[in-house]
Amino acid sequence: MDRHKYILDEKDMPTQWYNIQADLPEPLPPLRHPVTKEPTILPPPLFCDELNKQEFSTERWIDIPEEVQDVYKTWRPTTLHRAHRLEKLLDTPAKIFYKYEGTSQAGSHKPNTAVAQAYYNKQAGVKRIATETGAGQWGSAMAMGCMFFGLELKVYMVKVSYQQKPYRRILMETWGAQCVPSPSTDTQFGNKILAEDPESPGSLGMAISEAVEDAATHDDTRYALGSVLNHVLLHQTVNGLETKKLMEQADIYPDIIVGCIGGGSNAAGMFLPFVKDKIAGTKPDLRIICVEPASCPTVTKGLYAWDYGDVAGMAPIALMYTLGHSFVPPPVHAGGLRYHGMAPIVCHLHKLGFIEATAVGQLGTFEAGVTFARTEGIISAPETNHAIRVTIDEALKCKATGESKNILLAHSGHGHFDMSAYELYLSGKLEDYDYPEEKVKEALKDLPEVPAA
Ligand SMILES: *Cc1c(COP(=O)(O)O)cnc(C)c1O
């Protein structure tokens, strides 16, 4: 039988991240300032210089600082697995590979950028970071990153999640971070919301506004974002580079790459080093499939338009697929996929025809996640289940056609703190949400007008 897993030697780990901006056939459209609408950088009071430099760099390879490599090595390289048992159950001639990012201390791919962001802020003399978190995956990754580099961290956690999902908060506190429910009494914005509605359950948009205000009003504090931005996708390429090297060593090349997209960072981290070959024309048949929830279908149903990155309209404006910055997605359990926009790099590559997107319903994703758990053993994050759904569907298509394709799944993390969602599924109580067409139509009326550059 073929191998079960492929493990990179520590000495072969990537020492540089791959920057797709060097190889784009057309450059990314510049960000615009939320007020002046003129081309802009990331607001300097919120982001340190090095991260701003990386955001706009067109250098192909960017060195991973040794201190960051050193922390990466506490869990990286991660393992590439062959899903023999899943293939057998599906009775497919396809070969299914998955790279598992759930072995990081925080349980997902997010520490790949959290560690790097903590390092650059520490280098810049920053003492403290403020950030937001929905269900807690980003907050816990950042808490881990800040712990490694001795930075203070304050996390504004959406109040419903703070109350309903205490375990990720306790992770953050154990790593030494401070976590408060948002809206909080610690910011002007939070106090304003609480004055209007003391029972407000909070939202990711409100939490972002609180964290941004915190960073803007403390000299020693900067802000950190866990997805969407170019520098975040850059840091995530460590995973795709490891995978590419492992596959090269085994003389395998994927026919199909599948990943879930919320802001786009884990999928892009995997596919960017491969899309390079497609852009160069050496792998014209490679298919890259990005999977989103049917209830928040940013790429498959959104407009390609200029929109704010945040709900309050304070963040820079990007050209991207969007459902409208005021759109509040239905409460699917894949909290990490509930974002109105999408990484500009992912949108640009989709627009240029290098990658595809598809949307799937919640019930089908949990069915796929349980199938994965009952074959490969891993209990996956609800976000990851979206990618597993499409991986299984593609493997079944291979069964129908008899083709033995190599399918590579970007497995973004475990679901050990999502047991209540699995319980709902197992007891038949999990719901599917339709695409909220009317709400999207409303939200798309609020797009900013941006003059040509
Ligand atoms: C946050 C998260 C996602 C979605 O974020 P991307 O930036 O699109 O990768 C996906 N999977 C897991 C496990 C997450 O924690």
Side-chain angles (χ1 to χ4, degrees):
M1 192 182 242
D2 290 338
R3 291 177 58 172
H4 283 74
K5 40 187 196 314
Y6 303 80
I7 304 173
L8 201 63
D9 201 287
E10 209 171 273
K11 71 173 176 10
D12 294 328
M13 273 182 63
T15 56
Q16 295 177 312
W17 293 297
Y18 169 60
N19 181 11
I20 188 71
Q21 293 193 73
D23 292 313
L24 290 173
E26 289 172 30
L28 278 180
L31 293 175
R32 301 300 187 93
H33 191 277
V35 179
T36 67
K37 314 274 168 40
E38 293 295 322
T40 182
I41 59 169
L42 300 174
L46 300 184
F47 294 90
C48 65
D49 291 347
E50 188 56 37
L51 292 173
N52 231 322
K53 207 170 112 198
Q54 291 182 358
E55 188 68 17
F56 302 99
S57 169
T58 51
E59 259 171 66
R60 183 167 294 114
W61 298 101
I62 294 180
D63 288 342
I64 307 176
E66 276 186 23
E67 293 90 334
V68 173
Q69 292 186 42
D70 205 56
V71 175
Y72 275 176
K73 284 174 187 164
T74 63
W75 82 95
R76 306 205 70 84
T78 60
T79 303
L80 177 69
H81 299 256
R82 172 84 184 270
H84 286 298
R85 288 179 172 78
L86 177 60
E87 289 170 21
K88 194 159 171 234
L89 177 87
L90 300 176
D91 190 23
T92 174
K95 296 188 177 81
I96 302 174
F97 299 86
Y98 61 97
K99 185 83 159 11
Y100 182 47
E101 289 291 280
T103 53
S104 77
Q105 295 87 323
S108 77
H109 66 287
K110 288 194 171 80
N112 294 332
T113 187
V115 165
Q117 292 189 44
Y119 168 79
Y120 287 119
N121 276 294
K122 180 75 179 184
Q123 286 301 101
V126 174
K127 294 271 179 312
R128 184 173 168 275
I129 302 284
T131 196
E132 74 287 337
T133 197
Q137 286 153 318
W138 171 242
S140 51
M142 202 60 214
M144 169 193 155
C146 287
M147 174 276 291
F148 275 116
F149 290 105
L151 287 167
E152 284 176 51
L153 175 68
K154 174 132 173 204
V155 182
Y156 295 86
M157 184 171 185
V158 176
K159 197 195 272 170
V160 268
S161 303
Y162 183 94
Q163 289 164 342
Q164 289 172 1
K165 302 185 177 179
Y167 294 120
R168 285 220 171 252
R169 165 175 63 80
I170 300 166
L171 279 190
M172 295 179 229
E173 290 170 350
T174 305
W175 277 315
Q178 189 196 357
C179 179
V180 294
S182 167
S184 76
T185 52
D186 300 355
T187 65
Q188 272 191 4
F189 184 81
N191 278 308
K192 183 174 152 250
I193 300 284
L194 288 172
E196 290 161 10
D197 178 10
E199 302 305 316
S200 168
S203 74
L204 198 57
M206 290 177 198
I208 291 176
S209 301
E210 285 205 275
V212 164
E213 181 187 323
D214 182 320
T217 53
H218 292 82
D219 281 344
D220 61 352
T221 303
R222 294 266 162 79
Y223 171 71
L225 195 66
S227 187
V228 180
L229 297 176
N230 302 341
H231 67 262
V232 177
L233 274 56
L234 172 79
H235 301 153
Q236 292 296 347
T237 61
V238 65
N239 187 32
L241 292 167
E242 282 179 10
T243 309
K244 202 169 181 196
K245 206 170 224 179
L246 281 169
M247 291 189 120
E248 272 164 13
Q249 286 175 359
D251 204 16
I252 308 162
Y253 197 89
D255 297 295
I256 303 176
I257 300 175
V258 186
C260 64
I261 48 168
S265 74
N266 89 84
M270 174 60 88
F271 74 63
L272 288 175
F274 291 93
V275 91
K276 179 176 191 284
D277 302 339
K278 193 160 168 153
I279 293 172
T282 54
K283 296 288 176 187
D285 298 329
L286 169 64
R287 288 182 62 203
I288 295 165
I289 310 176
C290 298
V291 190
E292 54 187 15
S295 57
C296 187
T298 312
V299 179
T300 50
K301 292 260 173 76
L303 276 186
Y304 190 62
W306 293 97
D307 200 6
Y308 299 103
D310 68 329
V311 181
M314 298 186 322
I317 300 169
L319 184 59
M320 60 183 174
Y321 288 101
T322 179
L323 298 169
H325 61 278
S326 57
F327 173 65
V328 181
V332 288
H333 288 275
L337 306 185
R338 294 178 64 231
Y339 179 62
H340 69 272
M342 186 56 61
I345 285 178
V346 170
C347 298
H348 191 64
L349 287 168
H350 184 273
K351 204 70 194 162
L352 294 174
F354 291 107
I355 63 176
E356 312 164 32
T358 186
V360 293
Q362 175 161 265
L363 278 176
T365 66
F366 272 86
E367 186 206 354
V370 169
T371 300
F372 198 79
R374 290 181 184 175
T375 48
E376 297 302 309
I378 291 173
I379 294 176
S380 309
E383 291 84 356
T384 314
N385 287 344
H386 288 67
I388 296 174
R389 173 75 269 161
V390 171
T391 298
I392 291 176
D393 292 345
E394 289 297 325
L396 291 174
K397 282 185 204 161
C398 287
K399 180 182 177 182
T401 61
E403 287 172 290
S404 165
K405 289 187 178 162
N406 293 326
I407 304 176
L408 170 59
L409 160 69
H411 193 302
S412 53
H414 69 62
H416 298 179
F417 298 104
D418 299 285
M419 288 296 101
S420 56
Y422 276 88
E423 185 184 27
L424 285 175
Y425 174 75
L426 293 171
S427 60
K429 291 184 194 136
L430 198 76
E431 293 173 58
D432 252 342
Y433 293 95
D434 285 338
Y435 166 54
E437 193 171 351
E438 282 309 312
K439 277 171 72 184
V440 171
K441 238 188 225 161
E442 274 306 301
L444 286 175
K445 287 181 185 159
D446 299 335
L447 296 184
E449 271 185 47
V450 173

